[in-house]
Amino acid sequence: MTRRRSTTMTDVAKAAAVSQSTVSMVLNHVTSARLSAETRSRVLAAAQALNYQLPQAQQKAPAREAQPTTIGYLVDEISTSPHPVVSLDGARDAAWQHGYTVQLVVTRGKPEQEAAAIACLQAQPGLLGWIYSTVFTRQVQVPAALLELPTVLLNCQDPAQKLPSVLPAELAGGQAATEYLLSMGHRRIGFINGEAWMMAAQQRLSGYRRALAAAGISYDPALVKAGDWMSGTGFDGAMALLQSPQPPSAIFCANDLMALGALEAVKQLGLRVPEDISVMGYDDQEISRHTHPPLTTMELPNYDMGYAAVETLLEQAASKAPPRRRLIQTDCPLVQRHSVRTL
């Protein structure tokens, strides 16, 4: 991957101490977002200080006579989760830095809408290729029409393994989260997982088990509770773990919403985080900064995934070679806050 040549939304988010999705909402003037005036001012100040340039407001795309200028971006959902919005931001920034624009179509996962969108974009001049994205990490059947141009899969995989795919390194993330808890002295670690049929849940659990095995700790099924990614199952799972005969010293939740439920369970039992029990999440959603205490978590690298998908597409288009399977896994960084303590 080539080095970034200008300031990105990730840089603005770090400077303003907010999430990438918050930066996106502020800079794109999303008035429906429940953001304080102070937060909006801080983001705008950080963007100005870093000289972040909004494409539509600050620059004019370089002329490209008789050359492709557009990347088609198909996604099944974008309003049900903050994650695909941030991936789109990464893709848009990468495309703009190379002189391209991104044209987004949300298909709702409906084949007829998807086919109509593909036909519409194909009819427009200047289409370089496709980013085909999903809100949940899963396998997909790629429409045959996409194979006529360079195509990269984002947050999904092709069972036929014919196309490059950009995915979060979920197994490594689950392992890194568990290794961090182990490094803090925790040996009995509870795990509250998401829905078992989802790739993210499967791989985060596999990472948890791998870290335990590497530390010489036997896997204990009694420490693993099923959830559905929502706070209610985080609450129920934490209650069951904390009221068991041998409660854990730390609870690792497979996403931040379930960690919110776990924090509430700890509070209702008259315990404290992290003094009595450590709690860790996954995804680094905006709410994780505002819990009491702020939640230690793993960042889901949506922006970097979108950025990498476009750069991979551009490499593929430049090579003019037939598409080939290429798996690009983007690391999930640890975000240390105050919900985990050393034993």
Side-chain angles (χ1 to χ4, degrees):
M1 186 185 297
T2 58
R3 293 185 63 186
R4 304 180 188 177
R5 295 187 292 276
S6 63
T7 302
T8 68
M9 283 192 182
T10 297
D11 302 318
V12 177
K14 290 179 179 178
V18 297
S19 68
Q20 293 163 357
S21 57
T22 295
V23 173
S24 174
M25 288 186 287
V26 172
L27 297 183
N28 288 291
H29 307 290
V30 179
T31 57
S32 60
R34 295 182 178 180
L35 299 174
S36 67
E38 189 276 333
T39 296
R40 290 181 184 274
S41 297
R42 192 165 74 248
V43 170
L44 291 172
Q48 184 176 12
L50 294 172
N51 196 30
Y52 178 80
Q53 300 293 311
L54 283 177
Q56 64 271 29
Q58 303 295 337
Q59 301 183 41
K60 182 178 291 185
R64 287 178 166 268
E65 296 182 3
Q67 292 187 22
T69 59
T70 305
I71 295 171
Y73 191 113
L74 300 176
V75 63
D76 53 359
E77 291 287 351
I78 201 166
S79 61
T80 57
S81 166
H83 303 307
V85 178
V86 180
S87 293
L88 173 62
D89 285 334
R92 186 171 56 183
D93 281 355
W96 187 258
Q97 289 179 18
H98 290 278
Y100 295 87
T101 58
V102 171
Q103 189 160 346
L104 169 72
V105 178
V106 181
T107 66
R108 303 290 185 187
K110 297 180 179 179
E112 63 277 11
Q113 290 189 22
E114 187 172 81
I118 292 171
C120 180
L121 290 176
Q122 282 179 327
Q124 300 180 21
L127 182 64
L128 174 74
W130 303 94
I131 302 294
Y132 190 82
S133 180
T134 55
V135 64
F136 298 123
T137 308
R138 61 184 177 88
Q139 292 194 335
V140 295
Q141 294 294 331
V142 181
L146 299 190
L147 303 181
E148 298 173 10
L149 290 173
T151 299
V152 173
L153 305 181
L154 176 57
N155 204 38
C156 52
Q157 287 183 292
D158 171 20
Q161 300 183 345
K162 293 181 179 179
L163 297 170
S165 181
V166 179
L167 298 168
E170 299 278 28
L171 190 151
Q175 182 173 350
T178 308
E179 288 174 345
Y180 171 69
L181 292 172
L182 290 166
S183 74
M184 299 294 278
H186 299 280
R187 306 289 290 177
R188 188 166 176 80
I189 302 170
F191 183 72
I192 303 176
N193 203 7
E195 294 168 288
W197 61 269
M198 295 182 66
M199 289 177 64
Q202 296 165 8
Q203 293 183 3
R204 292 174 193 183
L205 176 60
S206 294
Y208 164 81
R209 297 189 63 167
R210 179 176 291 186
L212 293 179
I217 299 174
S218 298
Y219 172 72
D220 184 354
L223 286 173
V224 177
K225 302 299 178 184
D228 62 2
W229 308 111
M230 303 304 292
S231 61
T233 53
F235 178 89
D236 294 340
M239 276 289 191
L241 288 168
L242 295 172
Q243 293 179 317
S244 64
Q246 292 183 295
S249 64
I251 298 176
F252 171 27
C253 299
N255 80 338
D256 293 340
L257 288 180
M258 292 192 296
L260 292 182
L263 291 174
E264 182 61 26
V266 173
K267 180 180 177 182
Q268 287 205 18
L269 290 173
L271 302 174
R272 298 170 300 164
V273 174
E275 291 84 356
D276 300 311
I277 179 78
S278 291
V279 175
M280 184 165 185
Y282 204 111
D283 288 352
D284 193 28
Q285 295 192 34
E286 177 67 24
I287 189 63
S288 65
R289 294 161 171 77
H290 307 296
T291 57
H292 299 284
L295 185 67
T296 295
T297 185
M298 303 296 292
E299 178 186 338
L300 196 59
N302 298 290
Y303 181 93
D304 291 339
M305 289 165 56
Y307 200 102
V310 166
E311 293 216 321
T312 302
L313 178 67
L314 295 176
E315 291 171 7
Q316 182 182 340
S319 72
K320 301 186 183 302
R324 62 181 178 86
R325 180 177 185 263
R326 180 182 172 195
L327 183 60
I328 301 156
Q329 292 190 310
T330 309
D331 289 338
C332 301
L334 171 69
V335 181
Q336 296 184 47
R337 295 196 179 100
H338 306 297
S339 64
V340 175
R341 76 176 183 94
T342 303
L343 287 185

